[in-house]
Amino acid sequence: MKDLLIDQNSGDSIKVKVKNVVFGEKEKVIISGPCSVESYDIMIRIGKELKDMGVHMLRGGAFKPRTSPYDFQGLKEEGLEIIKAVGEEVKLPIVTEVMDARDIDNALNYTDMIQIGSRNMYNYTLLKEVGRTKAPILLKRGLSATISEWLYAAEYIMSEGNNNVVLCERGIRTFENYTRNTLDLNSVAVVKQKYRIPVIVDPSHGTGLRELVPTMSLASIAAGADGLIIESHISPDNSVSDARQTISMESLKNIVSGIKKLEEVL
Amino acid sequence: MKDLLIDQNSGDSIKVKVKNVVFGEKEKVIISGPCSVESYDIMIRIGKELKDMGVHMLRGGAFKPRTSPYDFQGLKEEGLEIIKAVGEEVKLPIVTEVMDARDIDNALNYTDMIQIGSRNMYNYTLLKEVGRTKAPILLKRGLSATISEWLYAAEYIMSEGNNNVVLCERGIRTFENYTRNTLDLNSVAVVKQKYRIPVIVDPSHGTGLRELVPTMSLASIAAGADGLIIESHISPDNSVSDARQTISMESLKNIVSGIKKLEEVL
Amino acid sequence: MKDLLIDQNSGDSIKVKVKNVVFGEKEKVIISGPCSVESYDIMIRIGKELKDMGVHMLRGGAFKPRTSPYDFQGLKEEGLEIIKAVGEEVKLPIVTEVMDARDIDNALNYTDMIQIGSRNMYNYTLLKEVGRTKAPILLKRGLSATISEWLYAAEYIMSEGNNNVVLCERGIRTFENYTRNTLDLNSVAVVKQKYRIPVIVDPSHGTGLRELVPTMSLASIAAGADGLIIESHISPDNSVSDARQTISMESLKNIVSGIKKLEEVL
Amino acid sequence: MKDLLIDQNSGDSIKVKVKNVVFGEKEKVIISGPCSVESYDIMIRIGKELKDMGVHMLRGGAFKPRTSPYDFQGLKEEGLEIIKAVGEEVKLPIVTEVMDARDIDNALNYTDMIQIGSRNMYNYTLLKEVGRTKAPILLKRGLSATISEWLYAAEYIMSEGNNNVVLCERGIRTFENYTRNTLDLNSVAVVKQKYRIPVIVDPSHGTGLRELVPTMSLASIAAGADGLIIESHISPDNSVSDARQTISMESLKNIVSGIKKLEEVL
């Protein structure tokens, strides 16, 4: 993997700016919000709480990739409108997933950062197209992508001219079934030591169990992550998707303050 | 997984017709050809040999999903033209991969069957769009897709109105590194016993080693597969991609005759 | 892996004789019986049926390795006595598992072949000690052992002077959870092509689902296996262990006759 | 998994004492030393350095489980004598692996804590026998053991009367091959939250790459681990085994001081 744009030898370490938020600086970036955008009412209540506790960015899925075609697939355009309105109101940049290259232009009318989800990490068509924009991209690791394939996916984006790539470790598929996925923090250490793009961690999908999220958030930061993306909700048990791994506002507050303390030591 | 269109309870077992070839009948369907379409000269020589030995369909990649953006990505449109010309000349239906929903309409001017590759099995956008055509679809199992997720991917296509789906087991990602992938023939037995769509096997990717392809072809048929898709070349060592798993014409001939004998017993 | 005793270059292919049964000849060896030895009454009824239908050897666990210390651990010495008595009465050689090096000498008073179970494949102490006997050894692949580690485990036995080793593929641990394990028939093809010891397959553990056992038995033989070891019971649902993967006498009879037909073709 | 001795409901959280060292208290326990005991000269130099920098216990393998029977298998009895002598001289308790139940009594003449290695986690014979001693046991997670199986292995020891069990996460086997294993820190969070025995982490085997050890040591502690076991050597590149993952004295000193700082925050 020599002579790649992601390689440290190819240039300075990359900082990715999303409005006033910067990935790759000392301050860790915390992104949070519900799995799916459900309604304006719920979203604005969540958004205000997140803003108050010092979270840096707002997340929420409008287009949801689901295993079954009969499961809730997201509010789509309406979801984008809601999350944009809330982001503007509470003054937090937003990130949301795009699954189809034809939706990119429109999505950029709404979102500040585009998420490429795990299931689309090998969707080279989509990677190249977001590479032709200047938008910040959050690139999740594929369900069973090797570290090397994940880095090459970033290279697909950068090779088209867009260096604004932030990686996101979200757990890999293994034989272990106590947890939903196996969070691979080795991968974070590898990226930080040998490559020049920022990397954050998603402990919600990485564990699948809300009670493990606070501890694994700290562990992720200690492993060198530049930030976290955490599923939270004002009423976690009532989330329309991923309820089992969604944490409360209270729990998130404790994580935010725990990260602050950890930042000082590291 | 009750009340799904793929379920045996939802109707008769499905036969998928591609011109004069039928998947799901007693006769096993053998598809072969090079990993990538390289040139007309090579393709026509391969095509004639395949036709002569009794292979039923011709394969060849025009759009190639590759781990690195700097690797050969296929001849694209030119590749489609070549494989179409050869298919018509030797009178074999063809199958080739489509990676982008925007390419479907054009691809259908060339190919008789559309392949959805492993890396795109979770690309629900693409699945839905091929579901809106009437074209026969060859749906490869994702690199680490569970059997259940793979079946739901077929359901995505069928739920849009297209029942012409053939599954393809091509090996899964495990800790084993002697072989490129671990061919999971259990999955074939599951599909044949409990679901109503045909399933074939790709022993080339399933092993990654040409010397294992003949044996694993027989094992696949014994496991109940409705056919095989095998990478072959007139000069395997000179294949531009996947040379290590590509077999010679000689070797393929032996497989074809071995399958014939096996069909009689089973 | 050069210059190993298991390598084909190190000598002729090895035939392992257990009384009148030979592993590595054209005739495939079928071993069957219950997961655990339960009682003389049940065992003798099973033994007679197996003998009548042409099964070659009798299996049954007396010492059972179990995940929980509170689960049934086998009849131990009493189990050995029962299986020996039944083996002699129905004139079938027997195979049973030994878990502790200190039990080997005593076990050899009862059994014709010693099984090293999956959980003990890395138990090098045990491997060396059975290597110092002349007894035929059935060496199961570890739950997640690579093919290479499994071959080295055989080498541990052979390097102590005992060449009577039969490998047994029994499925590996992967992310797939529809089946109990993922039966890796690639491994059988590798062993047959490159090494000189016999290899059989255990489709019971390899699938964990009784309805898949007949098909996967045929696939195993087509992949080149020298035989099969299958859990069966006169009343499968009442097996004290592994009931879900245990087949009936009726089902086993069909497998035996299916294998006969397949032998003729291959 | 109700009503198990390891369960928090079954009693107070367990502290395991090894001489003056206690696992399960606020202070994190750091164990270090070479992969294999090589000679008295090397061991005493390592031992003195470790003592000076505040490491709590000394490790070193005398009996080495190796994939090939032809690889160095350890100094055995002589190795035990060396590590005991060094431990006494530098006043550090020692831990070393036992692979054979017949060696336990003798090993207890030398070592303060017995390690059950990954390859023996399912060796129930060995687990039960160490359960009949009062010795502190370090129980490594099996190469591909589920969290549940690992906990049951501890239960095997405790059910025989020995509660002095410390678990050790050391990475699991996955498809990822950039690192030797995938360190599963989720498992540490699970054990700390739901069970009552201490757990430490082995970042050396958990990564296989010395440059990742410092970062993953911090991440392990942040995940809640009660300590670390790290392979170190005065001349890492000259280690007779596991050189690639063995760190220098210098590097270890930085880890020790990093852990101290982290302890204060957590």
Side-chain angles (χ1 to χ4, degrees):
Chain A
M1 302 187 66
K2 289 283 166 204
D3 297 328
L4 294 183
L5 297 171
I6 48 170
D7 202 279
Q8 286 185 339
N9 300 327
S10 303
D12 291 338
S13 77
I14 290 173
K15 318 285 185 198
V16 177
K17 250 177 92 63
V18 184
K19 286 188 166 165
N20 60 325
V21 172
V22 188
F23 292 84
E25 297 282 13
K26 275 195 184 158
E27 189 179 7
K28 306 301 181 181
V29 176
I30 301 178
I31 307 170
S32 195
C35 176
S36 301
V37 177
E38 300 172 16
S39 73
Y40 175 80
D41 278 3
I42 292 173
M43 201 71 195
I44 187 68
R45 288 171 61 199
I46 294 172
K48 284 178 176 169
E49 294 238 28
L50 298 182
K51 179 70 179 186
D52 285 350
M53 71 175 80
V55 163
H56 306 87
M57 282 181 65
L58 185 62
R59 61 148 287 152
F63 296 91
K64 301 296 303 173
R66 302 300 297 273
T67 298
S68 166
Y70 309 123
D71 285 345
F72 174 62
Q73 311 262 322
L75 294 182
K76 299 174 185 165
E77 189 90 9
E78 189 194 340
L80 291 178
E81 277 164 16
I82 292 172
I83 193 170
K84 181 184 183 172
V86 171
E88 286 177 353
E89 201 165 332
V90 302
K91 297 197 169 44
L92 287 179
I94 63 175
V95 57
T96 197
E97 179 167 356
V98 172
M99 293 163 62
D100 188 330
R102 294 165 298 189
D103 293 336
I104 296 171
D105 284 347
N106 186 42
L108 288 175
N109 294 326
Y110 297 98
T111 191
D112 303 299
M113 184 179 210
I114 286 177
Q115 175 178 312
I116 304 293
S118 291
R119 290 179 180 81
N120 280 308
M121 195 209 80
Y122 297 115
N123 186 339
Y124 299 131
T125 293
L126 186 59
L127 297 178
K128 283 183 197 166
E129 297 254 350
V130 296
R132 285 177 208 128
T133 73
K134 296 287 169 214
I137 308 299
L138 183 61
L139 176 61
K140 292 198 135 190
R141 184 177 180 182
L143 301 166
S144 68
T146 62
I147 294 172
S148 168
E149 290 170 340
W150 185 33
L151 290 163
Y152 270 117
E155 189 77 12
Y156 260 99
I157 299 171
M158 292 170 70
S159 67
E160 297 289 334
N162 185 355
N163 276 0
N164 298 310
V165 182
V166 176
L167 296 173
C168 179
E169 160 67 33
R170 46 76 73 205
I172 56 172
R173 191 161 269 190
T174 71
F175 62 83
E176 180 59 65
N177 53 17
Y178 194 107
T179 48
R180 179 173 177 182
N181 290 293
T182 296
L183 192 63
D184 178 15
L185 296 181
N186 281 350
S187 79
V188 175
V190 167
V191 172
K192 291 307 293 178
Q193 277 188 28
K194 309 198 177 173
Y195 298 91
R196 65 185 185 116
I197 48 179
V199 58
I200 68 170
V201 174
D202 171 353
S204 307
H205 288 85
T207 63
L209 298 172
R210 79 169 64 127
E211 61 271 29
L212 302 184
V213 170
T215 307
M216 296 311 291
S217 293
L218 295 178
S220 300
I221 297 300
D226 295 302
L228 297 166
I229 181 165
I230 299 174
E231 290 185 346
S232 65
H233 199 284
I234 42 168
S235 177
D237 290 333
N238 296 320
S239 298
V240 300
S241 50
D242 282 352
R244 186 67 187 84
Q245 72 194 34
T246 297
I247 64 171
S248 66
M249 295 295 121
E250 208 51 41
S251 176
L252 186 60
K253 244 176 259 182
N254 290 330
I255 293 173
V256 172
S257 70
I259 300 302
K260 288 277 168 248
K261 281 195 232 160
L262 206 54
E263 269 174 14
E264 290 162 29
V265 184
L266 297 171
Chain B
M1 300 187 67
K2 289 283 167 204
D3 297 327
L4 295 183
L5 297 171
I6 49 170
D7 203 279
Q8 285 185 340
N9 301 326
S10 303
D12 291 338
S13 77
I14 291 173
K15 318 284 185 198
V16 177
K17 251 179 91 65
V18 184
K19 286 187 166 168
N20 59 325
V21 172
V22 188
F23 292 84
E25 297 283 13
K26 274 195 185 158
E27 190 179 7
K28 307 300 182 180
V29 176
I30 301 178
I31 307 170
S32 195
C35 176
S36 300
V37 177
E38 300 172 16
S39 72
Y40 175 80
D41 277 4
I42 292 173
M43 201 70 196
I44 188 69
R45 288 171 61 199
I46 294 173
K48 284 178 176 169
E49 294 238 28
L50 297 182
K51 178 70 180 185
D52 285 349
M53 71 175 80
V55 163
H56 307 87
M57 281 181 67
L58 185 62
R59 61 148 288 152
F63 296 91
K64 302 296 302 173
R66 302 300 296 273
T67 298
S68 166
Y70 309 122
D71 285 344
F72 174 61
Q73 312 262 321
L75 294 181
K76 298 172 186 165
E77 188 89 11
E78 189 194 339
L80 292 178
E81 277 163 17
I82 292 172
I83 194 170
K84 181 183 184 174
V86 171
E88 286 177 352
E89 201 166 330
V90 302
K91 298 198 169 43
L92 287 180
I94 63 175
V95 57
T96 197
E97 179 166 356
V98 172
M99 294 162 60
D100 188 330
R102 295 165 298 189
D103 293 337
I104 296 171
D105 283 348
N106 186 40
L108 287 175
N109 293 326
Y110 297 99
T111 192
D112 303 299
M113 184 179 210
I114 286 178
Q115 176 179 312
I116 304 294
S118 291
R119 289 178 179 81
N120 279 310
M121 194 209 81
Y122 297 114
N123 186 340
Y124 300 130
T125 293
L126 186 59
L127 296 177
K128 283 183 198 166
E129 297 253 351
V130 296
R132 285 177 208 126
T133 73
K134 295 288 169 215
I137 308 299
L138 183 62
L139 177 61
K140 291 198 135 190
R141 183 175 179 184
L143 302 165
S144 68
T146 62
I147 294 172
S148 167
E149 290 171 340
W150 184 33
L151 289 162
Y152 270 117
E155 188 77 12
Y156 260 99
I157 299 171
M158 292 170 71
S159 67
E160 297 288 335
N162 185 355
N163 275 0
N164 297 310
V165 182
V166 177
L167 296 173
C168 179
E169 160 66 34
R170 46 75 73 204
I172 55 172
R173 191 162 269 191
T174 70
F175 62 84
E176 180 59 64
N177 53 18
Y178 194 107
T179 47
R180 180 174 177 181
N181 290 292
T182 296
L183 191 63
D184 177 16
L185 296 181
N186 281 350
S187 79
V188 174
V190 168
V191 173
K192 292 307 293 177
Q193 276 186 29
K194 309 198 179 174
Y195 298 91
R196 65 185 186 115
I197 49 179
V199 58
I200 67 171
V201 173
D202 171 354
S204 307
H205 288 85
T207 63
L209 298 172
R210 81 169 63 128
E211 61 272 30
L212 301 185
V213 171
T215 307
M216 296 312 290
S217 293
L218 295 178
S220 300
I221 297 300
D226 294 301
L228 298 166
I229 181 165
I230 299 174
E231 290 186 346
S232 65
H233 199 283
I234 42 168
S235 176
D237 290 334
N238 296 320
S239 298
V240 301
S241 51
D242 281 353
R244 187 66 188 86
Q245 72 194 34
T246 297
I247 65 171
S248 66
M249 294 295 120
E250 207 51 41
S251 175
L252 185 61
K253 243 177 260 182
N254 290 331
I255 293 173
V256 172
S257 70
I259 299 302
K260 288 275 167 248
K261 280 195 232 162
L262 206 53
E263 270 174 14
E264 290 162 30
V265 184
L266 296 171
Chain C
M1 300 188 67
K2 290 282 167 203
D3 296 329
L4 295 183
L5 297 171
I6 47 170
D7 202 280
Q8 286 185 340
N9 300 327
S10 303
D12 292 338
S13 77
I14 291 173
K15 318 285 184 197
V16 176
K17 251 179 90 65
V18 184
K19 286 188 166 165
N20 60 325
V21 172
V22 188
F23 292 84
E25 297 282 14
K26 275 196 185 158
E27 191 180 6
K28 307 300 182 181
V29 176
I30 301 178
I31 308 170
S32 196
C35 177
S36 301
V37 177
E38 298 172 17
S39 72
Y40 175 81
D41 277 2
I42 292 173
M43 200 71 196
I44 187 68
R45 288 172 59 198
I46 294 173
K48 283 178 177 169
E49 295 238 29
L50 297 182
K51 179 69 180 185
D52 285 350
M53 71 176 81
V55 163
H56 305 87
M57 283 181 63
L58 185 62
R59 62 147 288 151
F63 296 91
K64 300 298 302 174
R66 301 301 296 273
T67 298
S68 165
Y70 309 122
D71 285 344
F72 174 61
Q73 311 262 322
L75 294 182
K76 296 172 187 168
E77 189 89 12
E78 190 194 338
L80 292 178
E81 276 164 17
I82 291 172
I83 194 171
K84 180 184 183 172
V86 170
E88 285 178 351
E89 203 165 328
V90 302
K91 297 199 170 46
L92 286 179
I94 63 176
V95 56
T96 198
E97 180 167 355
V98 172
M99 293 163 61
D100 188 331
R102 294 166 299 190
D103 293 338
I104 296 170
D105 284 349
N106 185 42
L108 288 175
N109 294 325
Y110 297 98
T111 192
D112 303 300
M113 185 179 210
I114 287 177
Q115 177 179 312
I116 304 294
S118 291
R119 289 178 180 81
N120 279 309
M121 195 210 80
Y122 297 114
N123 185 339
Y124 300 130
T125 294
L126 186 59
L127 296 177
K128 283 184 197 167
E129 296 252 351
V130 297
R132 285 178 207 125
T133 73
K134 296 286 169 218
I137 308 300
L138 184 61
L139 176 61
K140 291 197 135 189
R141 184 177 180 182
L143 301 166
S144 68
T146 62
I147 294 172
S148 168
E149 290 172 340
W150 184 34
L151 289 163
Y152 270 118
E155 188 77 13
Y156 260 99
I157 299 171
M158 291 170 71
S159 67
E160 297 288 334
N162 185 355
N163 276 0
N164 298 309
V165 181
V166 177
L167 295 173
C168 179
E169 160 66 33
R170 44 76 73 204
I172 56 172
R173 192 162 269 190
T174 71
F175 62 83
E176 180 59 64
N177 53 18
Y178 194 107
T179 48
R180 181 174 177 181
N181 291 293
T182 296
L183 192 63
D184 177 16
L185 296 182
N186 280 351
S187 80
V188 174
V190 168
V191 172
K192 291 309 292 179
Q193 276 187 29
K194 309 199 178 171
Y195 298 92
R196 66 185 185 116
I197 49 178
V199 57
I200 69 170
V201 172
D202 172 352
S204 307
H205 287 84
T207 63
L209 297 172
R210 81 169 62 128
E211 61 272 30
L212 301 184
V213 170
T215 306
M216 296 312 290
S217 293
L218 295 179
S220 300
I221 296 301
D226 296 300
L228 298 166
I229 181 165
I230 298 173
E231 290 186 347
S232 65
H233 198 285
I234 41 167
S235 177
D237 290 333
N238 296 320
S239 296
V240 300
S241 50
D242 281 352
R244 187 67 189 84
Q245 70 194 35
T246 298
I247 64 171
S248 67
M249 295 296 120
E250 208 51 39
S251 175
L252 186 60
K253 243 177 261 182
N254 290 331
I255 294 173
V256 172
S257 70
I259 299 303
K260 289 276 168 251
K261 280 194 232 160
L262 205 54
E263 269 175 14
E264 288 162 30
V265 183
L266 297 171
Chain D
M1 298 187 68
K2 291 281 166 203
D3 296 328
L4 295 183
L5 297 171
I6 49 170
D7 202 279
Q8 286 186 339
N9 300 327
S10 302
D12 291 337
S13 78
I14 291 173
K15 318 283 184 197
V16 176
K17 251 178 91 62
V18 184
K19 285 188 166 165
N20 59 324
V21 172
V22 188
F23 292 83
E25 297 282 13
K26 276 196 184 158
E27 191 180 4
K28 307 301 182 181
V29 176
I30 301 178
I31 307 171
S32 195
C35 176
S36 301
V37 177
E38 299 172 17
S39 73
Y40 175 80
D41 277 4
I42 291 172
M43 200 71 196
I44 187 69
R45 288 171 61 199
I46 294 172
K48 283 179 176 169
E49 294 238 29
L50 298 182
K51 179 69 180 185
D52 286 350
M53 71 176 80
V55 162
H56 306 87
M57 283 182 65
L58 185 62
R59 62 147 288 151
F63 296 91
K64 300 297 302 174
R66 301 301 295 273
T67 298
S68 165
Y70 309 121
D71 285 344
F72 174 61
Q73 311 262 321
L75 294 181
K76 296 173 185 166
E77 189 89 12
E78 190 195 338
L80 292 178
E81 276 164 15
I82 292 171
I83 194 171
K84 180 184 184 173
V86 170
E88 286 177 351
E89 204 165 329
V90 301
K91 296 198 169 46
L92 287 179
I94 63 175
V95 57
T96 197
E97 180 167 355
V98 172
M99 293 163 60
D100 188 330
R102 293 165 300 190
D103 293 337
I104 297 170
D105 284 349
N106 186 42
L108 287 174
N109 294 326
Y110 297 98
T111 191
D112 303 300
M113 185 179 211
I114 286 177
Q115 177 178 312
I116 304 294
S118 292
R119 290 179 180 81
N120 279 309
M121 194 210 82
Y122 297 114
N123 185 340
Y124 299 131
T125 294
L126 185 59
L127 296 177
K128 283 183 198 168
E129 296 252 351
V130 297
R132 286 177 207 125
T133 72
K134 296 286 168 215
I137 308 300
L138 184 61
L139 177 61
K140 291 196 136 190
R141 184 175 179 184
L143 301 166
S144 68
T146 62
I147 294 173
S148 167
E149 290 171 339
W150 184 34
L151 289 162
Y152 270 118
E155 188 77 13
Y156 260 99
I157 299 171
M158 291 170 71
S159 67
E160 297 287 335
N162 185 356
N163 276 359
N164 297 310
V165 181
V166 176
L167 295 173
C168 179
E169 161 65 34
R170 45 76 73 204
I172 56 172
R173 191 162 269 190
T174 71
F175 62 83
E176 179 58 66
N177 53 19
Y178 194 108
T179 48
R180 181 174 177 181
N181 290 292
T182 296
L183 192 63
D184 178 15
L185 296 182
N186 280 351
S187 80
V188 174
V190 168
V191 172
K192 291 309 292 178
Q193 276 188 29
K194 309 200 178 171
Y195 299 91
R196 65 185 185 115
I197 49 178
V199 57
I200 68 170
V201 172
D202 172 354
S204 306
H205 288 84
T207 63
L209 298 171
R210 78 168 66 125
E211 60 271 31
L212 302 184
V213 171
T215 306
M216 297 311 290
S217 293
L218 295 179
S220 300
I221 296 300
D226 296 300
L228 298 166
I229 181 165
I230 299 174
E231 290 186 346
S232 65
H233 198 284
I234 41 168
S235 177
D237 290 333
N238 296 319
S239 297
V240 300
S241 49
D242 281 352
R244 186 67 189 82
Q245 71 195 35
T246 297
I247 64 171
S248 67
M249 295 295 121
E250 208 52 41
S251 175
L252 185 60
K253 242 177 262 183
N254 290 332
I255 294 174
V256 173
S257 71
I259 299 302
K260 288 275 167 251
K261 280 195 234 160
L262 205 53
E263 269 174 16
E264 289 162 29
V265 184
L266 297 171

